[in-house]
Structure formats: structure tokens, C-alpha cells
Amino acid sequence: MSDTVRQDTLVSLLGGKRGAFDATAPLVVFVLTWLLTGHSIAWAAAASLVAAAAIAAVRLAQRKRPRAVVLGLLSVAVAALIVLYTGRAQDILLPRIVSNAASALVWAGFIVFRRPLLGLIVGGLLGQRTQWRLDPALLRAYSLASWVWVAMYALRVAVLTPFWNSDSDDFAVIGGGVAQVVLSWPLLVLCLVVSGWVIKAALPKDHPGLRHPLTANSQHADS
């Protein structure tokens, strides 16, 4: 992101490798079980639920953000219920498509209302609260960089939707599963790097950086 904010800290806050594993492992288990049981949706859904429950138990024992753990388990449960109800294995991708579409809309909405989420996250890490919003240059930089995150969520929707819509079960489930893995941790890291570059490029060369928002008072003091 920037030399003023450790990338590993920000990635950890956004889920990090552990979060990516927790989100994709139940899907991988679903796909493998579905293949090994001759395309049995019931066995695949049950296996993914067991995997999600095991991951949740480990994370709760490690005292890792209980709300995120519970929400992750619920998302897997919802996906399992959907495929059991519809009888379509590719519907395992539907909650991920919906959640990413919702995330894209939320991030875009915060930008439109001049409260880009990337600024809120980084500002919180730096202990600035919303002081950065008084700096037009920082506000613009965070807004531009937040569009990168909107693009990431939109890309996930664009890639996963054709798999979900496919009439070929093997293509939909296997291809969608592989795509989901590629679109998790690797894409998150790429998004982080690109958004950091956007912030750096958007800020004026004489700007003191993320840790030092230029408010009206500070500009007056400098003058």
C-alpha cells in the first residue's frame, strides 16, 4: 500500500492468507467430494459443511475474530442449502457472486458519498479516524484507489458468472472452483499493490504522505 502502512497489516485486516484459505477450502472440498462421489450434491454439500465447521472450530479456539468466523460458516451453510434445494452443483458459486456484487456496490457507494472505504480502513490503522477527509489530495487519492477494489469485486462477478450459467456441470464446478481460488489471495495481493501505486501516483509530489493529512490548520501553520 505505502511505505507508511505495512502491507501485511492491511492484508491481515482484509482477511489475508488465512481468510483466503478459510473462504476457499470448503469450496475445494465440495468440488473434490462432488467428483469422487460421482457428482453427488448431498455428499459434496455435507463435506463442505464439515470442512467449514472444522475451520470455524479451529479459528474460534485461536480466538480469531469470532464474528468473521461465524459469518464464514453461515455463508457455507447458505451455499450448501442452495445447492441441495436447486439440485445444481454450480449454484455453490451463487453466494460468492452475490456477495462480490454487493461488495462492489458498497465500495462504489462509499466513494460516491466521499467516504472511500480504503481511506476509512487505512485511516483507522493510522489512528486518524476521518481526519484525512479534510485533505482534498488524500480524499482524491483514496477515492481513486478504492475504485481498484470495486474493479476487483466486479472482476470476480464477471469471471464466476459464466461458470455459474454454464450448462456443463464439470466446466461449471471444476472451472468455477479453480477460478475462485485464483481470484482469492492472488487477486487480493494484486489489488493491494495496484491501489498502493494509485495512491502514490495521485498524491502531489510535495505531499507529506498518508500519516500527515494536510488540513486547513496545518496548511495555515506552514504558511
Side-chain angles (χ1 to χ4, degrees):
M1 173 60 58
S2 168
D3 56 359
T4 57
V5 180
R6 286 179 57 87
Q7 287 191 6
D8 54 353
T9 301
L10 185 57
V11 170
S12 177
L13 182 65
L14 295 169
K17 289 184 178 179
R18 183 180 287 113
F21 172 82
D22 293 354
T24 56
L27 175 62
V28 172
V29 170
F30 179 94
V31 174
L32 292 177
T33 305
W34 183 76
L35 289 172
L36 294 174
T37 58
H39 296 187
S40 171
I41 291 177
W43 278 108
S48 66
L49 280 172
V50 170
I55 291 171
V58 171
R59 299 309 181 214
L60 289 175
Q62 296 173 338
R63 302 183 183 277
K64 300 291 185 181
R65 296 190 298 176
R67 180 179 299 179
V69 172
V70 173
L71 288 176
L73 179 59
L74 285 176
S75 68
V76 175
V78 169
L81 289 174
I82 290 175
V83 296
L84 289 172
Y85 177 77
T86 64
R88 298 176 72 250
Q90 51 264 55
D91 283 343
I92 195 71
L93 301 173
L94 184 57
R96 298 170 186 273
I97 294 173
V98 172
S99 64
N100 279 283
S103 296
L105 290 174
V106 169
W107 276 72
F110 272 81
I111 297 170
V112 171
F113 287 102
R114 300 178 62 81
R115 286 173 173 78
L117 282 175
L118 194 58
L120 294 175
I121 294 171
V122 176
L125 286 174
L126 297 178
Q128 297 171 345
R129 297 186 179 180
T130 59
Q131 184 182 6
W132 53 271
R133 293 190 65 242
L134 301 176
D135 183 340
L138 267 182
L139 178 60
R140 178 176 178 273
Y142 281 135
S143 296
L144 291 173
S146 289
W147 283 116
V148 177
W149 293 79
V150 174
M152 178 188 72
Y153 292 118
L155 176 63
R156 288 174 175 172
V157 174
V159 172
L160 293 177
T161 298
F163 289 106
W164 173 64
N165 280 329
S166 175
D167 293 329
S168 170
D169 291 345
D170 287 339
F171 174 76
V173 177
I174 299 174
V178 172
Q180 175 60 32
V181 172
V182 174
L183 294 171
S184 58
W185 170 250
L187 184 59
L188 176 63
V189 173
L190 177 62
C191 182
L192 185 68
V193 171
V194 174
S195 58
W197 177 85
V198 169
I199 289 178
K200 183 177 180 180
L203 286 177
K205 293 183 178 181
D206 58 348
H207 194 281
L210 304 185
R211 290 188 181 275
H212 306 284
L214 293 177
T215 63
N217 290 336
S218 63
Q219 293 176 0
H220 180 72
D222 291 340
S223 60

